[in-house]
């Protein structure tokens, strides 16, 4: 396989609040390749968005990257560690919206209500390419057409509140593409949308990826979307990457008890009517009350007393591509 | 099984006002000729895209808003026509479970006060009697009685939803209206609440109207499903029939868009073009025709009636008996 375009190495991002330290991302490593989609999945608060924001160096205070590397392979083949760049420096700003594009969950709060979508696109285009206003406007219309917005010549002068949720999310994708990125990070890009509109946006991301060999990080809590879109998957729980592997292995040979429990508990359109779901006992612990040992042990049906509640599990490789952080995998070699 | 709720030709128009004099310049047809029944012990789900009229339908049934026309027969009485005073005893019998367990509970009341309030308001003034009933309700929703004197902020989303359910059950209702009750919850907690709702309903024989946009959840909870599109029911059927052999092109597209949590079943989806229609200016004829892959010229002019195609399975499509559509249990998946 080619070299990864982005490599995250043992990333730790913490928030230092008055009440204590939230270890929002606490040891995550993964590789992203051109033309591939990496899915990051997990329940609320597990650190998906903070991972994305760390990569872009836009973590809000009182949070900061404590350790780790974010290695971006540039177009010229050199490698830049994003962690070492000043977050507000020229280079980090050029990479944000340039080589790495971002689509957020809520288009309403990320799009300005005071500027037309055209002006926002023109600004984004000119930030990363030396174009005249007129050229940039033509490019903006081109971008709107590319993301499937009907009548782009007219829509370019519309305000975001004049558009439906689906069209707004397409504008967000157009904005993310303005800097000709090689990496696209989409954080819950379809969570606020109807299934029919979700299908449109996912199809759009898929086709853009095919055409431009984009590397995509798709963040979602929806296992269905992951199954549909991802090549590789990272499963997170309480800031920890508990399992990662190819999508087929994650769904058909999951290693971590949390992955297994999560898969059993999701509702399925193929279920029998009135069929009950398997449940995971308890709920996600409060970020300030992270359990000792394995973060999942209080809810784990397979936990080993005296081990899982005491020691943090290492990550074990299983085969060439799959790995999970669970004591159960620590079997002496046969 | 007896019919608890019988909704007939329900209509709700919202006036659109414009200009200096706030003249009514048009109407949003939020609910347009909606009819269905729900039996005791039965869950009927209402599904459809945002703005299709699901919440408006539920609010009319609860008489939170007055319907424009139609009948809402609840235990034989027409809720749509009763005066406020006459409504009171009926209101006790129909309870609501909300989407957002965070904003629907009063932060200054303890759990025992929150669940006991409807009891107190309805005349159960004896504290010991009330506390006993509250304890019983907590047990019903599987919360420890040690929680009685805590405040809602100390609870997780799933626990708050259990509290909301306990409160709704306090007065032995015969109908529960649940508007997106699990959409704000995490997957692992959602499963707990879905199971709880199935169990309680089986145990208490409640009729339930379940409003949701997640078709996977709907498959798990419902006996029957009604699909709405721009204020109208376009298909209503027993759950299994609706998912396996939909009769309306919109239902087919909706089902096809649901992501299946299995990478080996990646499907070629029907991707609907365009947006859901505007209920203040719906398309002529069949409202779905501009997005329908089966539409003919006739569909632009004729309004399709809701026609029964099998027992209990009705469809609002002019071409229902000519076209054959794919469901999710059948062979539309690849691999
Ligand atoms: N600005 C902040 N200050 C303090 N803590 C924060 C801040 N932003 C995030 N966190 C904490 O970091 C943890 C991870 O949050 P993050 O937003 O990454 O979760 P997520 O996986 O994206 O969840 P969701 O599915 O709800 O979007 C959470 O415990 C959250 O409370
Ligand atoms: N009080 C109101 N005044 C005017 N229009 C309204 C009012 N309430 C609802 N509507 C309109 O009626 C239509 C139906 O809205 P409703 O809230 O019933 O949809 P819904 O199916 O519940 O959607 P969602 O899935 O987004 O909750 C929408 O077009 C909405 O804008
Ligand atoms: S009536 Fe015509 S347009 Fe409407 S759903 Fe049927 S085929 Fe499609
Ligand atoms: Mg997030
Ligand atoms: Mg609603």
């Amino acid at each position: 396989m080619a070299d990864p375009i982005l490599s995250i190495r043992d990333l730790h991002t913490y928030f230092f609040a008055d009440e204590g330290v939230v270890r929002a991302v606490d040891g995550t490593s993964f590789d992203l390749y051109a033309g591939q989609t990496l899915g990051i999945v997990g329940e609320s608060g597990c650190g998906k968005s903070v991972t994305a924001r760390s990569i872009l160096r836009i973590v809000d205070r009182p949070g900061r990257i404590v350790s780790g590397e974010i290695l971006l392979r540039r177009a010229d083949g050199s490698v830049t560690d994003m962690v070492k760049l000043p977050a507000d420096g020229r280079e980090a700003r050029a990479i944000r919206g340039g080589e790495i594009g971002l689509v957020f969950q809520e288009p309403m709060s990320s799009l300005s209500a005071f500027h037309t979508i055209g002006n926002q696109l023109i600004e984004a285009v000119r930030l990363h390419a030396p174009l005249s206003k007129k050229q940039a406007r033509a490019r903006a219309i081109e971008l709107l057409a590319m993301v499937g917005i009907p009548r782009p010549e007219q829509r370019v002068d519309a305000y975001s509140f004049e558009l439906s949720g689906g069209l707004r999310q397409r504008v967000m994708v157009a904005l993310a593409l303005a800097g000709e990125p090689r990496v696209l990070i989409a954080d819950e890009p379809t969570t606020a949308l109807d299934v029919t509109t979700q299908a449109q946006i996912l199809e759009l991301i898929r086709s853009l990826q095919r055409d431009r060999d984009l590397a995509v990080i798709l963040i979602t809590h929806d296992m269905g979307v992951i199954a549909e879109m991802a090549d590789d998957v990272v499963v997170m729980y309480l800031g920890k990457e508990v399992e990662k592997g190819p999508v087929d292995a994650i769904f058909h040979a999951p290693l971590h008890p949390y992955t297994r429990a999560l898969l059993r508990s999701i509702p399925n359109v193929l279920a029998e009517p009135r069929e009950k779901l398997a449940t995971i006992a308890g709920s996600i612990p409060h970020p300030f009350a992270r359990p000792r040992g394995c973060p999942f042990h209080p809810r784990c049906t397979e936990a080993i007393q005296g081990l899982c509640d005491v020691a943090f599990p290492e990550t074990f490789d299983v085969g060439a591509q799959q790995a999970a952080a669970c004591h159960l995998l620590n079997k002496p070699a046969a | 099984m007896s019919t608890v709720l019988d909704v007939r030709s329900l209509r709700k128009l919202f006036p659109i006002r414009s200009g200096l004099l706030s003249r009514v310049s048009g109407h949003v047809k939020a609910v347009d000729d909606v009819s269905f029944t729900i039996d005791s012990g039965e869950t009927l789900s209402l599904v459809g895209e945002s703005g299709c009229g699901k919440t408006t339908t539920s609010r009319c049934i609860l008489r939170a808003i007055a319907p424009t026309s139609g009948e809402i027969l609840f235990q034989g009485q027409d809720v749509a026509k009763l005066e406020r005073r006459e409504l009171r005893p009926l209101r006790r019998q129909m309870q609501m479970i909300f989407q957002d367990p965070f904003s629907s509970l009063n932060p200054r009341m303890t759990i025992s006060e929150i669940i006991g309030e409807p009891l107190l308001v309805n005349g159960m003034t004896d504290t010991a009697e009330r506390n006993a009933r509250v304890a019983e309700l907590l047990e019903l929703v599987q919360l420890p009685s040690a929680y009685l004197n805590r405040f809602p902020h100390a609870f997780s989303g799933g626990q708050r939803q259990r509290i909301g359910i306990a409160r709704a059950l306090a007065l032995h209702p015969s109908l529960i209206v649940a508007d997106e009750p699990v959409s704000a919850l995490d997957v692992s907690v959602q499963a707990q609440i879905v199971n709880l709702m199935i169990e309680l309903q089986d145990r208490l024989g409640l009729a339930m109207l379940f409003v949701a946009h997640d078709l996977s959840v709907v498959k798990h909870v419902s006996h029957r499903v009604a699909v709405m599109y721009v204020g109208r029911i376009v298909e209503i059927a027993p759950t299994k029939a609706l998912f396996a052999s939909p009769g309306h092109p919109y239902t087919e597209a909706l089902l096809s868009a649901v992501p299946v949590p299995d990478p080996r079943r990646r499907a070629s989806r029907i991707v609907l073009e365009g947006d859901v229609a505007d209920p203040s200016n719906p398309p002529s004829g069949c409202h779905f025709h501009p997005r329908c892959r089966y539409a003919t010229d006739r569909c632009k002019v004729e309004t399709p009636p809701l026609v029964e195609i099998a027992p209990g399975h009705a469809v609002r499509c002019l071409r229902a008996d000519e076209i054959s559509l794919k469901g999710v249990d059948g062979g539309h998946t690849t691999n």
Side-chain angles (χ1 to χ4, degrees):
Chain A
M1 212 182 239
D3 290 327
I5 191 164
L6 188 69
S7 291
I8 311 299
R9 294 276 164 269
D10 201 23
L11 180 70
H12 294 257
T13 304
Y14 296 174
F15 288 88
F16 299 89
D18 294 341
E19 306 95 304
V21 177
V22 178
R23 299 195 290 188
V25 179
D26 203 15
T28 292
S29 306
F30 56 79
D31 293 321
L32 179 69
Y33 297 90
Q36 301 261 308
T37 297
L38 176 88
I40 303 183
V41 69
E43 294 176 278
S44 189
C46 71
K48 305 182 294 294
S49 296
V50 173
T51 300
R53 301 181 77 87
S54 300
I55 295 171
L56 289 153
R57 300 299 313 277
I58 49 169
V59 175
D60 299 321
R61 285 157 65 91
R64 65 181 162 87
I65 298 176
V66 175
S67 63
E69 292 174 318
I70 299 170
L71 306 172
L72 175 69
R73 187 169 300 270
R74 315 300 291 271
D76 64 6
S78 67
V79 172
T80 302
D81 185 354
M82 295 286 290
V83 176
K84 299 221 166 71
L85 298 180
D88 290 322
R90 203 165 51 90
E91 198 168 0
R93 272 186 293 146
I95 291 172
R96 272 198 295 278
E99 286 170 79
I100 308 180
L102 179 68
V103 179
F104 282 111
Q105 172 171 351
E106 276 161 19
M108 217 34 188
S109 53
S110 350
L111 288 171
S112 161
F114 304 107
H115 303 279
T116 63
I117 57 171
N119 282 339
Q120 294 176 67
L121 275 166
I122 289 167
E123 193 191 323
V125 166
R126 292 184 76 195
L127 217 53
H128 299 282
L131 296 180
S132 72
K133 265 223 160 113
K134 210 172 149 200
Q135 288 168 319
R137 185 181 161 90
R139 177 80 188 126
I141 293 172
E142 219 175 276
L143 284 165
L144 291 177
M146 194 188 315
V147 297
I149 292 188
R151 295 183 286 114
E153 308 78 15
Q154 288 152 35
R155 287 281 174 49
V156 72
D157 296 318
Y159 290 89
S160 62
F161 57 81
E162 297 173 304
L163 303 178
S164 69
L167 287 182
R168 278 202 292 267
Q169 198 55 291
R170 285 175 192 266
V171 172
M172 284 297 297
V173 177
L175 267 171
L177 294 176
E180 308 257 358
R182 295 183 301 134
V183 176
L184 182 72
I185 303 181
D187 188 356
E188 308 265 9
T190 59
T191 301
L193 304 173
D194 282 314
V195 282
T196 48
T197 317
Q198 166 170 289
Q200 293 172 354
I201 298 293
L202 294 181
E203 185 53 44
L204 170 67
I205 292 175
R206 229 188 322 246
S207 73
L208 289 169
Q209 174 173 50
R210 255 195 319 262
D211 298 348
R212 357 186 89 221
D213 210 29
L214 272 177
V216 175
I217 297 181
L218 179 68
I219 295 174
T220 174
H221 64 272
D222 186 333
M223 278 292 203
V225 171
I226 290 285
E228 192 93 351
M229 297 287 290
D231 297 297
D232 292 303
V233 182
V234 171
V235 182
M236 293 184 72
Y237 186 77
L238 277 183
K240 288 285 181 188
E241 172 192 280
V242 294
E243 178 162 5
K244 70 182 162 196
V247 69
D248 195 74
I250 295 292
F251 281 82
H252 290 284
L255 297 171
H256 198 283
Y258 176 63
T259 313
R260 287 200 285 267
L262 195 60
L263 284 169
R264 278 193 302 264
S265 70
I266 44 180
N268 192 324
V269 266
L270 304 174
E272 285 298 311
R274 305 287 285 175
E275 184 177 321
K276 287 207 197 152
L277 289 151
T279 56
I280 308 180
S283 54
I284 299 162
H286 193 275
F288 292 127
R290 178 200 293 273
R292 237 162 74 95
C294 170
F296 186 57
H297 89 262
R299 305 176 75 190
C300 182
T301 52
E302 296 162 66
I304 306 164
Q305 263 207 15
L307 179 61
C308 298
D309 51 346
V310 183
F312 189 83
E314 306 170 41
T315 299
F316 298 95
D317 290 330
V318 174
Q321 298 182 68
Q322 203 175 355
C326 171
H327 288 299
L328 297 171
L329 297 170
N330 188 14
K331 297 191 190 97
Chain B
M1 293 253 170
S2 60
T3 303
V4 174
L5 181 71
D6 184 350
V7 176
R8 298 182 184 172
S9 302
L10 179 67
R11 246 188 202 92
K12 178 66 190 178
L13 308 183
F14 291 108
I16 304 169
R17 294 176 196 282
S18 59
L20 276 178
L21 300 171
S22 289
R23 280 219 188 82
V24 175
S25 60
H27 285 96
V28 180
K29 284 192 185 175
V31 177
D32 188 11
D33 194 14
V34 160
S35 303
F36 57 82
T37 63
I38 309 180
D39 286 350
S40 60
E42 186 185 45
T43 296
L44 173 76
S45 287
L46 272 187
V47 303
E49 283 163 292
S50 183
C52 70
K54 306 181 294 293
T55 295
T56 306
T57 303
S58 345
R59 297 185 71 212
C60 287
I61 290 167
L62 296 164
R63 264 298 290 274
I65 50 175
T68 305
S69 64
E71 290 167 82
I72 299 165
L73 301 172
F74 177 64
Q75 301 183 332
Q77 279 184 285
D78 189 352
V79 176
K81 302 208 170 53
L82 295 181
E83 298 293 326
R84 189 175 286 264
R85 196 168 27 83
E86 301 166 307
L87 267 172
R88 258 189 123 196
L90 284 184
R91 278 234 169 97
R92 229 177 287 161
Q93 295 282 308
M94 36 166 96
Q95 294 291 327
M96 178 91 188
I97 298 173
F98 296 94
Q99 166 170 4
D100 185 2
F102 294 85
S103 60
S104 60
L105 302 177
N106 184 338
R108 281 179 296 276
M109 286 165 79
T110 64
I111 299 318
S112 134
E113 286 164 348
I114 287 171
I115 301 176
E117 188 185 36
L119 298 169
L120 185 65
V121 169
N122 281 280
M124 197 187 276
T125 45
D126 183 281
T127 313
E129 189 190 355
R130 207 167 58 240
N131 285 347
R133 174 72 182 142
V134 170
E136 197 178 290
L137 286 161
L138 274 189
E139 200 188 315
L140 204 58
V141 298
Q142 296 154 20
L143 281 176
S145 55
Y147 288 178
L148 271 176
N149 296 313
R150 297 197 193 165
F151 291 90
H153 68 84
F155 292 95
S156 69
Q159 289 170 329
R160 289 187 228 209
Q161 199 52 293
R162 288 176 197 271
I163 296 162
I165 294 172
R167 183 182 152 101
L169 295 176
L171 298 170
H172 303 285
S174 51
L175 173 70
I176 294 279
V177 176
D179 195 345
E180 305 272 10
V182 296
S183 6
L185 302 175
D186 267 308
V187 188
S188 65
V189 177
Q190 174 178 287
Q192 298 167 0
I193 301 296
V194 163
N195 288 355
L196 177 68
M197 291 180 75
I198 294 177
E199 266 164 45
L200 287 178
Q201 184 178 31
D202 285 346
R203 225 161 110 187
L204 306 174
L206 303 162
M208 181 147 71
L209 180 66
F210 189 88
V211 172
H213 66 273
D214 183 337
L215 286 147
S216 309
V217 171
V218 164
K219 182 79 182 279
H220 281 273
V221 302
S222 352
H223 296 94
R224 287 190 300 134
V225 181
V227 182
M228 289 185 75
Y229 191 76
V230 200
R232 292 177 181 162
I233 287 181
V234 295
E235 180 158 10
I236 183 164
T239 307
K240 214 175 169 128
L242 187 112
F243 281 81
S245 42
H248 196 283
Y250 176 62
T251 312
E252 181 189 46
L254 210 51
L255 292 175
S256 163
V258 179
V260 178
D262 181 353
R264 294 185 187 167
R265 297 186 64 124
R266 281 187 188 177
S268 54
R269 305 264 171 241
I270 301 171
V271 176
L272 274 185
E273 301 291 321
D275 292 323
V276 70
D278 173 5
S280 65
N281 185 21
S284 61
C286 171
H287 290 344
F288 188 56
H289 85 256
R291 304 171 81 190
C292 179
R293 48 185 1 221
Y294 307 99
T296 61
D297 283 344
R298 213 181 133 206
C299 305
K300 294 180 192 161
V301 287
E302 265 179 65
T303 297
L306 196 61
V307 174
E308 197 159 64
I309 57 164
H313 190 162
V315 174
R316 197 187 275 282
C317 167
L318 295 169
R319 304 196 59 203
D321 51 6
E322 300 164 31
I323 51 182
S324 119
L325 308 177
K326 285 172 192 158
V328 284
D329 293 344
H332 93 286
T333 47
T334 54
N335 260 315

